[in-house]
Amino acid sequence: LRSKEDLVSKGAVLQLDSYQGQVQAALATIIRLVETETTSGGQFRVKTSVEQIFDATGEGLIDDAVIFLDKIAKVLKRDEPGVRREIEVILGVGEILPDKIDAGSSLPMRQVAQFVHQLVEREVPAELISIGLGPGGEGSILMFFNPVDISAEETQGGTGNE
């Protein structure tokens, strides 16, 4: 996860008023959320579990998750002048992170990849999505919705090709 300082260094974190409301409306499709909160860094944090997203095999998405992803994709793609809307998805893999993970045989890695694939398939730009595995209850999912102020970047007018 990026720190608050890292987010602020890329642009001040905005208040979440309308963005948070849009995310909460999308979250209403997943009824049994474990926890939601706005962090001191301005992120909207959602904690849920793989059971709320994936079927009993852990490989396929449940119907409510498909609806949720459709709605979240629309929220992430919504244009707002001077703002970049980002999502971070962290899947809990237990109290201790393994030294190595074989992406092909790791169900948590496949689940995170599936989540990203579903967002990209819905035309969410990949640069708005951060993923990872983290310590925490196995099968827990943390999502951070980050509205980042990029107006300072835009007013500098740099293209990187000078």
Side-chain angles (χ1 to χ4, degrees):
L1 284 175
R2 287 175 287 163
S3 66
K4 174 182 171 187
E5 290 77 23
D6 187 29
L7 283 172
V8 171
S9 72
K10 293 183 179 179
V13 177
L14 301 177
Q15 294 300 318
L16 288 171
D17 300 330
S18 64
Y19 182 42
Q20 182 174 340
Q22 293 162 7
V23 170
Q24 285 176 320
L27 291 171
T29 41
I30 300 178
I31 308 237
R32 295 174 301 272
L33 290 173
V34 176
E35 180 182 330
T36 63
E37 73 173 302
T38 301
T39 68
S40 61
Q43 300 170 316
F44 184 58
R45 182 177 82 92
V46 175
K47 182 179 179 183
T48 188
S49 66
V50 293
E51 291 83 17
Q52 300 301 315
I53 307 286
F54 295 96
D55 64 18
T57 69
E59 300 282 347
L61 296 170
I62 63 172
D63 292 342
D64 285 348
V66 172
I67 296 167
F68 166 71
L69 286 164
D70 289 342
K71 290 179 180 181
I72 284 298
K74 287 177 186 173
V75 170
L76 291 168
K77 293 186 307 183
R78 186 166 288 142
D79 280 335
E80 191 175 334
V83 177
R84 180 177 55 240
R85 295 174 172 206
E86 300 176 345
I87 182 173
E88 296 180 57
V89 181
I90 308 298
L91 187 63
V93 293
E95 294 308 312
I96 299 174
L97 285 173
D99 292 333
K100 270 190 194 177
I101 297 176
D102 177 3
S105 65
S106 166
L107 179 59
M109 284 297 292
R110 290 194 309 273
Q111 289 170 326
V112 168
Q114 169 82 314
F115 197 93
V116 171
H117 173 75
Q118 292 294 321
L119 288 174
V120 170
E121 194 173 79
R122 288 164 173 78
E123 300 178 358
V124 173
E127 62 270 13
L128 301 181
I129 308 165
S130 300
I131 62 166
L133 301 177
E138 280 191 51
S140 66
I141 298 174
L142 283 176
M143 290 178 267
F144 293 90
F145 295 90
N146 307 309
V148 180
D149 181 350
I150 58 169
S151 58
E153 294 171 18
E154 291 174 351
T155 58
Q156 292 173 359
T159 62
N161 295 328
E162 284 96 73

